């Protein structure tokens, strides 16, 4: 047994009665096909249109989140959050012969239309119940719940962080949040609202710079800062809830 181009093949050998030495035959396999390059499936356009606020750089998309329903949410400097129905034809397409991507005309839902909140939407995260949370430049995180009947969204609550929100991440039902004050906060739903858990302690937990990005997996929270460092934190448990009286 031999290996060629990563594929195992057999090399057969048999004796030749008319010759003193054995004769070997080698079977050559063609090289594997090259990997398929990325293919554009859809182009989603809408940020910066009349549904958004009339501001400079209105087409900037600051954050994306894939919702549990399979839809895509986007947050923009035009002060809106948009939820897109990714075309089924694009999601299932295997046709690489066409040059024109599928381009839907509008988002399925526009949250905060026409400058309703007055500040840019900068951060997003998908929630486990199908809803989404969005962080804005005014320091407020707004939470939308998914309507069970029509698949739309309704504003279900909000909480103020005291800083420009730069990143959000779902952390086992809670929301991890970072911003311009350099602090990592973890918020949990409680009694119809949101309360802050005790902040992590240690090097880099006391501000002094911007925290720009955050991610979470398996009880660990990761943050990225403007000082060139990424840090890993153990998520606080329920015993770390602040006593709010």
């Amino acid at each position: 047994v031999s290996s060629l181009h990563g594929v195992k093949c057999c090399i057969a050998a048999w004796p030749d009665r008319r010759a003193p030495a054995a004769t070997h035959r080698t079977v050559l396999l063609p090289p594997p096909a090259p990997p398929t390059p990325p293919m554009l499936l859809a182009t989603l356009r809408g940020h910066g249109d009349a549904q958004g606020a009339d501001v400079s750089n209105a087409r900037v998309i600051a954050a994306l989140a894939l919702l549990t329903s399979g839809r895509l949410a986007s947050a923009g400097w035009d002060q809106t959050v948009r939820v897109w129905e990714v075309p089924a034809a694009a999601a299932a397409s295997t046709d690489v012969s066409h040059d024109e991507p599928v381009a839907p005309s509008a988002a399925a839902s526009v949250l905060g239309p026409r400058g309703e909140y007055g500040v840019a939407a900068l951060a997003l995260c998908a929630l486990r119940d199908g809803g989404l949370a969005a962080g804005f430049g005014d320091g407020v995180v707004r939470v939308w719940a998914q309507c069970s009947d029509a698949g739309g969204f309704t504003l279900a609550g909000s909480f103020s962080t005291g800083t420009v929100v730069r990143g959000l991440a779902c952390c086992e039902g809670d929301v991890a949040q970072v911003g311009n004050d350099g602090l990592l906060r973890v918020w949990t739903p409680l009694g119809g609202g949101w309360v802050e858990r005790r902040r992590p302690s240690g090097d880099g937990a006391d501000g002094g710079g911007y925290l720009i990005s955050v991610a979470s997996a398996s009880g660990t929270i990761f943050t990225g800062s403007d000082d060139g460092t990424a840090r890993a934190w153990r998520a606080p448990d329920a015993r770390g809830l602040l006593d709010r009286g």
Side-chain angles (χ1 to χ4, degrees):
V1 178
S2 181
S3 178
L4 186 65
H5 302 299
V7 179
K8 290 185 177 181
C9 57
C10 294
I11 301 176
W14 63 91
D16 188 340
R17 295 181 179 179
R18 297 171 297 174
T23 301
H24 297 78
R25 174 178 294 177
T26 300
V27 178
L28 297 178
L29 300 179
T36 303
M39 181 182 64
L40 179 64
L41 296 178
T43 300
L44 309 174
R45 294 187 176 92
H47 281 283
D49 64 11
Q51 290 277 8
D54 184 13
V55 295
S56 59
N57 300 315
R59 294 185 178 182
V60 173
I61 296 175
L64 298 171
L66 187 63
L67 306 183
T68 57
S69 63
R71 291 181 288 180
L72 180 70
S74 59
W77 284 14
D78 67 350
Q79 304 176 8
T80 67
V81 173
R82 305 187 184 221
V83 180
W84 308 85
E85 295 284 357
V86 179
S93 175
T94 58
D95 179 15
V96 297
S97 62
H98 62 79
D99 296 325
E100 292 297 327
V102 178
S105 59
S109 301
V110 179
L111 311 179
R114 299 177 181 87
E116 179 178 348
Y117 301 121
V119 286
L122 302 173
L124 281 176
C125 75
L127 304 179
R128 294 193 302 185
D129 61 2
L132 72 151
F136 288 77
D138 60 356
V140 175
V141 175
R142 295 172 172 89
V143 180
W144 284 270
Q146 182 174 320
C147 300
S148 57
D149 51 355
F153 291 86
T154 181
L155 186 63
S158 64
F159 54 91
S160 179
T161 68
T163 187
V164 174
V165 180
R166 295 291 178 179
L168 297 172
C170 185
C171 179
E172 299 182 352
D174 297 335
V175 172
Q177 168 261 319
V178 295
N180 283 9
D181 61 0
L183 296 174
L184 166 64
R185 294 178 170 92
V186 179
W187 303 83
T188 191
L190 186 67
W194 291 78
V195 296
E196 182 186 351
R197 293 177 183 258
R198 292 192 184 277
R199 300 168 192 164
S201 60
D203 177 46
D206 299 325
Y210 287 5
L211 285 180
I212 306 298
S213 54
V214 62
S216 175
S218 302
T220 303
I221 303 172
F222 304 89
T223 59
S225 176
D226 65 347
D227 63 1
T229 61
R231 294 179 172 90
W233 310 88
R234 177 178 296 171
D237 57 27
R239 291 171 297 176
L241 283 174
L242 286 174
D243 182 6
R244 296 291 176 111

